[in-house]
Amino acid sequence: MKHIAIRSDYRRQGIGREMINEYIKKNEINKMIAETHKDAVNFYKNIGFEIMSLGEKYPGVERFQCTLPMNKIM
């Protein structure tokens, strides 16, 4: 999966979680790693990803690595 985004008026309805769940099932994923910005960290955290700051990857932009370990695969 390269990119995931949900239109703002459709957020908080479980669509993003379901997209990730379906991708994991179809592709037999045993660990998922995502890189994101500060605004999306809570989404990943709320569905079980562990969050680690990558620091300021670009000038003025902090990036985060979000990892969903095998024992938390939905």
Side-chain angles (χ1 to χ4, degrees):
M1 180 181 295
K2 180 142 176 122
H3 184 78
I4 182 173
I6 306 299
R7 205 170 84 180
S8 60
D9 53 329
Y10 284 93
R11 293 182 187 154
R12 305 192 63 79
Q13 297 178 30
I15 297 168
R17 176 190 300 259
E18 189 56 37
M19 288 172 68
I20 289 176
N21 284 337
E22 189 65 25
Y23 183 83
I24 288 169
K25 289 177 196 170
K26 280 189 169 187
N27 295 283
E28 300 177 9
I29 302 296
N30 58 22
K31 182 178 183 180
M32 183 176 260
I33 299 172
E35 183 178 315
T36 193
H37 53 81
K38 188 177 181 178
D39 292 343
V41 166
N42 283 335
F43 164 74
Y44 287 102
K45 188 176 181 181
N46 289 337
I47 61 174
F49 282 74
E50 296 171 356
I51 313 300
M52 179 180 74
S53 174
L54 297 173
E56 205 171 286
K57 195 167 180 180
Y58 309 104
V61 180
E62 183 178 13
R63 298 290 289 175
F64 297 86
Q65 179 175 293
C66 308
T67 304
L68 186 62
M70 196 163 108
N71 64 340
K72 291 189 178 179
I73 295 292
M74 300 156 230

